Amino acid sequence: MSLFSAGDPVRVRDDWPETGGAVHIRTPHYVRGMPGEIRAYLGRFPNPEDLAFARPARDLALYHVAFPRQAIWPEGQGDDEILIEIYETWLERA
Amino acid sequence: MCSGVDTEPHVLTDFDREVDALRQLLSLKGLMSVDELRRGIEAIPEPEYHALGYYQRWIRSIADNLLRRGVVTEAELRRALAAA
Amino acid sequence: MSAPDDLLRVSAERLLVAIRDILAEKSIVSPAEIADRIAITEAASPAQGGRIVARAWVDPLFRQRLLGDGTRAVEELGVVMRGAPPLGVVENDGSVHHLVVCTLCSCYPRAVLGYPPFWFKSASYRARAVRDPRGLLAEWGTIVPAGVKLRIVDSTADYRWMVLPRRPEGTDGWDEERLASIVTAGDMIGVTIPKIA
C-alpha cells in the first residue's frame, strides 16, 4: 500500500502549483526539491489538496521524512534535522 | 518575521473561544474540513491578512467556506449582518 | 464560488454574530452546542499533558505504548481522542532534543494540551523554529548542548505531535502527581525542559 520504506532516500518534487492558481498545499516551500530520508510510514489520509476545496479526496500514503537542516539553511549546527509529514505524491526516489 | 518571540501568555476572549468552538462543530458535522479553513485563510489578500488577528481570520474563512458550500446564502448573510 | 468581498469585509465580531444567528436559525449549530464545545475544549490543558508525561516516567510499559500509538495510550488515561487527529509522541533522550512547530499554520496537540499558546501561533516562532532553532530556544533560556542533535518536527499534515521530555534528576521517589506538577506546555513542545522549582 506504500511505495517507500524507512531508510529510503527520497527527494521532494520541485513543483510550485501555487504559480498556477488557487491551491492548498501541505508541503512547505523550504523542502521543495530537497533530498531527504524516509523515517516512518504514518498511514493513509485523504488528500488535503482536494479536501481544501470540498472535492472528493482519495487516500494517500503519508510519511515522516527527515531533512538535514543545514542542507536547507547553511547556518547552525551540522547534524540538526527537520522531520516533516509528506504525502507520497510529493516524493520521488533519490 | 525573524524578530523576538512574544512568550507572554495571552488570554483568549469570548470571541476567540466561540470561533474556535464553531470551527470544531462545523468539522464534526462534515460542513467544513480543517483544510477548507486553511484554504480560506490563505485566500485572504495579504494586506488584510496581516491586519486581522488569528481568530478574525478564522471567522472570515468560515464565512467564506459556508457561502461556497451553500450552507449559508449571500442573501441570508446580508440580512443577518444588517441585524447584527 | 466566492463571496463578494464587501460581505466578508465587515468587523469580525459582526461576522461571527451573523453566522452564529443564521446557523442557529437553520438548526445547524445551536448556541448550546457552542457552549458545550467550549467546555470540552477547556477540559484539555497542559496539566492533562503533565499527567501523561508523569505516567510515562514511572511506567515503562505505558511509555512504550505512548511512543508506539499516542492516541490509544492517552485514551487509557481518559483523554477524549474521538474526532481528534492521531497523536504522535517523540521522546527526548541524551542524544536528541525535539522541538515541535507548525510552519504552515498552527497545528498543536490540542486534544491533550488545550488551546495553542500565543507564541506557538506567531509568525516569528514558526519561521525561526526551522531557520534558527537554537537561537529561538535561547529566548526561553533553553540551551541544547553541542553534542545533542536537535530534531525539529514540522507538523504539516494529519498528526499532532507532542514531546515526551526527560525526567529531571533529583526526582527519585516522587509520586506521579508531584512529577506531573513540574511539566509545562513548553516542555511538551520542546521550547523548555522540566525543571525542579
Side-chain angles (χ1 to χ4, degrees), chain C residues 109-195:
Chain C
R110 296 172 52 132
V112 180
L113 302 185
Y115 294 107
F118 181 83
W119 52 261
F120 188 84
K121 303 184 288 189
S122 69
S124 54
Y125 178 81
R126 290 160 50 207
R128 291 180 57 208
V130 286
R131 181 84 200 240
D132 173 30
R134 286 173 188 259
L136 175 76
L137 289 177
E139 291 191 19
W140 271 272
T142 303
I143 308 297
V144 178
V148 174
K149 183 201 284 275
L150 184 56
R151 183 178 294 137
I152 298 112
V153 180
D154 188 355
S155 186
T156 49
D158 291 282
Y159 275 68
R160 299 294 176 268
W161 299 96
M162 149 182 169
V163 176
L164 174 58
R166 298 177 78 190
R167 179 172 174 168
E169 285 178 22
T171 57
D172 288 353
W174 286 28
D175 65 15
E176 268 184 66
E177 200 181 330
R178 190 163 174 211
L179 287 169
S181 72
I182 61 168
V183 182
T184 67
D187 301 340
M188 292 175 280
I189 293 302
V191 293
T192 50
I193 53 175
K195 284 174 204 70

Side-chain angles (χ1 to χ4, degrees), chain C residues 4-164:
Chain C
D5 286 339
D6 68 299
L7 258 184
L8 301 178
R9 283 198 179 114
V10 296
S11 90
E13 284 71 16
R14 253 179 90 205
L15 198 51
L16 171 62
V17 171
I19 292 289
R20 202 183 53 197
D21 289 353
I22 297 167
L23 295 176
E25 198 179 311
K26 298 175 92 168
S27 301
I28 296 171
V29 177
S30 72
E33 282 177 296
I34 293 179
D36 283 352
R37 185 44 53 178
I38 290 173
I40 290 168
T41 307
E42 293 189 343
S45 70
Q48 178 172 257
R51 234 162 25 90
I52 295 161
V53 168
R55 174 64 59 88
W57 282 346
V58 301
D59 180 346
L61 289 175
F62 176 77
R63 171 186 154 273
Q64 251 173 40
R65 292 198 295 279
L66 183 67
L67 296 173
D69 182 342
T71 303
R72 239 190 255 169
V74 302
E75 279 176 338
E76 287 176 33
L77 300 188
V79 180
V80 179
M81 295 298 288
R82 205 167 47 84
L87 176 71
V89 180
V90 288
E91 184 183 34
N92 288 347
D93 58 28
S95 55
V96 183
H97 179 90
H98 292 86
L99 175 69
V100 177
V101 63
C102 173
T103 60
L104 295 177
C105 43
S106 52
C107 301
Y108 187 76
R110 296 172 52 132
V112 180
L113 302 185
Y115 294 107
F118 181 83
W119 52 261
F120 188 84
K121 303 184 288 189
S122 69
S124 54
Y125 178 81
R126 290 160 50 207
R128 291 180 57 208
V130 286
R131 181 84 200 240
D132 173 30
R134 286 173 188 259
L136 175 76
L137 289 177
E139 291 191 19
W140 271 272
T142 303
I143 308 297
V144 178
V148 174
K149 183 201 284 275
L150 184 56
R151 183 178 294 137
I152 298 112
V153 180
D154 188 355
S155 186
T156 49
D158 291 282
Y159 275 68
R160 299 294 176 268
W161 299 96
M162 149 182 169
V163 176
L164 174 58

